[in-house]
Amino acid sequence: MWEERDSVPMESIWSYAAGSGYAEEQDLTGCTVVANDGTIGHVDRQADHFGMRHLVVDTGVWVFGRSVLVPVGVVRGIDPEARTVTVGCTRAEVKAAPRFRTDSETMDREYLASVGDYYHRLPPQDTSAD
């Protein structure tokens, strides 16, 4: 059974972490999204429904042309010059997240809660420099 751990606190999964480099109202559309083990895709759009801030990431051909929804609490760094957003999880973890099928899901509180719960339960990642 999963218990509270060193992962992202549930209430923080929908907020950018201090030190992530996010500036309020910053447009991340088009930024490349990078996981611990490679590129995921690019930010298609940002949304904030019910206080649940997230990114919709277009994965291109990597996951058969589908998009994934990523809560902003997993964002570890933003480089505005390089136009990259780094997330604290792996490509496989993103791929295994609850499937994002339609735009209406970004307005579905239950779906968003299931996505938040999934990312909240991921084991902490080693984010130390090589």
Side-chain angles (χ1 to χ4, degrees):
M1 177 146 213
W2 290 90
E3 297 295 328
E4 193 67 30
R5 49 195 301 152
D6 294 334
S7 60
V8 176
M10 189 59 166
E11 64 275 5
S12 300
I13 201 74
W14 304 111
S15 302
Y16 287 95
S20 68
Y22 179 74
E24 206 56 45
E25 305 301 320
Q26 183 176 12
D27 183 11
L28 301 176
T29 305
C31 287
T32 299
V33 181
V34 182
N36 294 341
D37 57 352
T39 299
I40 296 171
H42 70 273
V43 177
D44 187 43
R45 60 194 172 283
Q46 299 163 244
D48 181 0
H49 303 295
F50 315 110
M52 298 172 162
R53 294 171 103 178
H54 55 274
L55 306 174
V56 176
V57 179
D58 179 348
T59 63
V61 296
W62 172 57
V63 191
F64 304 110
R66 73 177 174 98
S67 294
V68 293
L69 193 139
V70 178
V72 299
V74 298
V75 172
R76 294 291 168 258
I78 297 170
D79 184 336
E81 289 183 25
R83 301 280 300 151
T84 58
V85 175
T86 303
V87 295
C89 51
T90 66
R91 290 167 46 108
E93 289 169 336
V94 171
K95 190 175 181 178
R99 182 134 190 194
F100 175 72
R101 292 182 178 88
T102 65
D103 285 341
S104 63
E105 287 175 318
T106 66
M107 306 264 285
D108 179 341
R109 190 183 299 264
E110 269 186 45
Y111 171 74
L112 292 173
S114 70
V115 170
D117 186 59
Y118 169 80
Y119 280 96
H120 169 68
R121 293 174 183 271
L122 291 178
Q125 297 289 317
D126 179 13
T127 56
S128 60
D130 292 25

